[in-house]
């Protein structure tokens, strides 16, 4: 009975984490697109704001004893910080220059790449059914840290990288730069975007650490459908019949993945019970 209660609580936490990630991820896409379209705030500078606010948010959480920092060697975090920094910069760059539909389509291609990386680099196996329906988690397990502890070190390192890079690609103090003459409404929107980005980053690390990169990406396809529809409603992005069919296929793939994954888990449990 106690084991069942623990399992229910664990499933409830994962469901809550997924729901939070769903809400803030959709919100950050529409908010960033709004900032790019209506204010023209520079991409790398916005990403730098995101990481700085994430760092400050985690510092406040640490002071409130929500987690205890763990000493980690910078060499172990450097590649992760660089990868996450590049991921966010290029993701925002895609959002800035493309329609939401094109941006989401590019993101959808990460799932097969994640499967290849998991298979060849981390020796994980996926059944044929799972493959047909279709780094951060490994680093958390390798360093034995939770999502907050890892992000606490990654965020400032990524901020430092962007702080060095921004002057080479964007104006800093001139008009259109990070410290240019922005309106109060623009600054408030950028700050709000940073707060939501903090919640997005934290929920991404938590979900991957408590499930798997593939599960996170499959969940991302569900967000893909909602965001695509939202782009059509809010920004008048074109939505063709082929895109509508693609959304239906994506939803079918998510349902198929969930069904096969649960079947595999039940099969594994049955084998454990049948052992003498």
């Amino acid at each position: 009975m106690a084991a069942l209660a623990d399992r229910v609580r664990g499933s409830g936490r994962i469901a809550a984490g997924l729901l939070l990630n769903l809400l803030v991820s959709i919100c950050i896409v529409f908010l960033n697109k709004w900032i790019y379209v209506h204010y023209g705030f520079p991409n790398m500078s916005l990403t730098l704001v995101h990481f700085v606010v994430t760092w400050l948010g985690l510092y406040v959480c640490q002071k409130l004893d929500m987690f205890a920092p763990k000493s980690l060697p910078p060499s172990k975090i450097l590649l992760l910080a660089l990868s996450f920094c590049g991921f966010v910069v290029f993701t925002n760059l895609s959002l800035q220059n493309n329609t939401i539909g094109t941006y989401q389509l590019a993101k959808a291609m990460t799932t097969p790449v994640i499967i290849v990386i998991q298979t060849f680099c981390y020796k994980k196996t996926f059944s044929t059914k799972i493959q047909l329906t279709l780094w951060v988690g490994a680093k958390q397990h390798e360093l034995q840290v939770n999502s907050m502890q890892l992000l606490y070190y990654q965020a400032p390192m990524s901020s430092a990288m962007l702080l060095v890079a921004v002057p080479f690609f964007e104006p800093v103090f001139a008009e259109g730069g990070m410290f240019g003459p922005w309106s109060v409404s623009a600054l408030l929107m950028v700050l709000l975007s940073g707060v939501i980005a903090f919640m997005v980053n934290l929920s991404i690390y938590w979900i991957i650490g408590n499930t798997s990169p593939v599960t996170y990406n499959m969940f991302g396809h569900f967000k893909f459908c909602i965001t695509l529809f939202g782009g059509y409603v809010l920004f008048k992005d074109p939505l063709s019949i082929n895109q509508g069919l693609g959304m239906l296929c994506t939803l079918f793939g998510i349902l198929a993945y969930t069904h096969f994954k649960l079947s595999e888990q039940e099969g594994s449990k049955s084998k454990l019970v049948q052992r003498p």
Side-chain angles (χ1 to χ4, degrees):
M1 196 67 180
L4 178 60
D6 290 339
R7 193 178 306 124
V8 170
R9 280 195 295 268
S11 299
R13 285 195 296 268
I14 291 176
L18 291 172
L19 178 60
L20 174 64
N21 180 260
L22 172 66
L23 296 176
V24 295
S25 295
I26 293 173
C27 185
I28 195 70
V29 170
F30 294 145
L31 183 56
N32 284 355
K33 187 67 175 179
W34 184 273
I35 290 172
Y36 292 141
V37 170
H38 293 277
Y39 299 109
F41 200 85
N43 166 45
M44 292 184 69
S45 297
L46 182 63
T47 307
L48 174 58
V49 171
H50 287 177
F51 281 126
V52 170
V53 174
T54 296
W55 182 18
L56 294 175
L58 286 167
Y59 179 78
V60 171
C61 290
Q62 182 259 325
K63 289 298 182 182
L64 294 175
D65 294 325
M66 296 180 65
F67 73 99
K70 185 175 180 179
S71 180
L72 299 174
S75 59
K76 295 288 187 181
I77 307 297
L78 183 62
L79 183 59
L80 177 65
L82 182 62
S83 300
F84 205 71
C85 187
F87 161 73
V88 178
V89 167
F90 285 111
T91 296
N92 287 341
L93 186 64
S94 175
L95 180 62
Q96 183 180 22
N97 292 282
N98 298 311
T99 65
I100 290 180
T102 302
Y103 156 80
Q104 288 291 61
L105 180 62
K107 284 187 68 176
M109 295 304 295
T110 60
T111 300
V113 176
I114 287 291
I115 290 180
V116 171
I117 292 175
Q118 291 260 290
T119 300
F120 290 99
C121 297
Y122 299 104
K123 309 303 179 185
K124 288 194 175 183
T125 58
F126 300 92
S127 69
T128 303
K129 292 180 178 178
I130 291 296
Q131 290 183 43
L132 290 175
T133 63
L134 300 180
W135 266 357
V136 171
K139 184 61 70 173
Q140 285 186 235
H141 292 299
E142 174 191 335
L143 299 175
Q144 294 297 301
V145 292
N146 61 34
S147 55
M148 284 187 166
Q149 290 171 327
L150 185 56
L151 194 55
Y152 185 72
Y153 285 93
Q154 176 265 310
M157 193 173 291
S158 294
S159 300
M161 292 175 180
L162 282 175
L163 193 61
V164 173
V166 163
F168 292 96
F169 297 94
E170 297 173 353
V172 178
F173 297 98
E175 184 175 353
M178 180 166 53
F179 295 106
W182 297 103
S183 64
V184 175
S185 61
L187 293 177
L188 288 176
M189 292 291 278
V190 169
L191 181 60
L192 177 61
S193 176
V195 173
I196 297 176
F198 162 61
M199 300 173 70
V200 171
N201 292 333
L202 192 58
S203 62
I204 287 174
Y205 273 66
W206 188 88
I207 291 171
I208 294 178
N210 288 273
T211 56
S212 73
V214 176
T215 299
Y216 172 74
N217 275 276
M218 290 305 298
F219 180 68
H221 293 336
F222 177 63
K223 294 186 291 186
F224 162 79
C225 296
I226 297 178
T227 307
L228 195 64
F229 182 74
Y232 169 75
V233 173
L234 296 178
F235 297 98
K236 308 303 178 184
D237 290 344
L239 186 62
S240 65
I241 295 177
N242 288 337
Q243 287 176 315
L245 292 174
M247 291 169 63
L248 291 176
C249 289
T250 299
L251 291 173
F252 176 77
I254 294 170
L255 293 174
Y257 171 81
T258 303
H259 170 73
F260 293 135
K261 195 68 176 177
L262 291 175
S263 297
E264 287 183 356
Q265 291 175 350
E266 289 298 325
S268 299
K269 291 177 183 178
S270 299
K271 289 181 181 178
L272 289 175
V273 172
Q274 292 173 2
R275 285 183 179 177

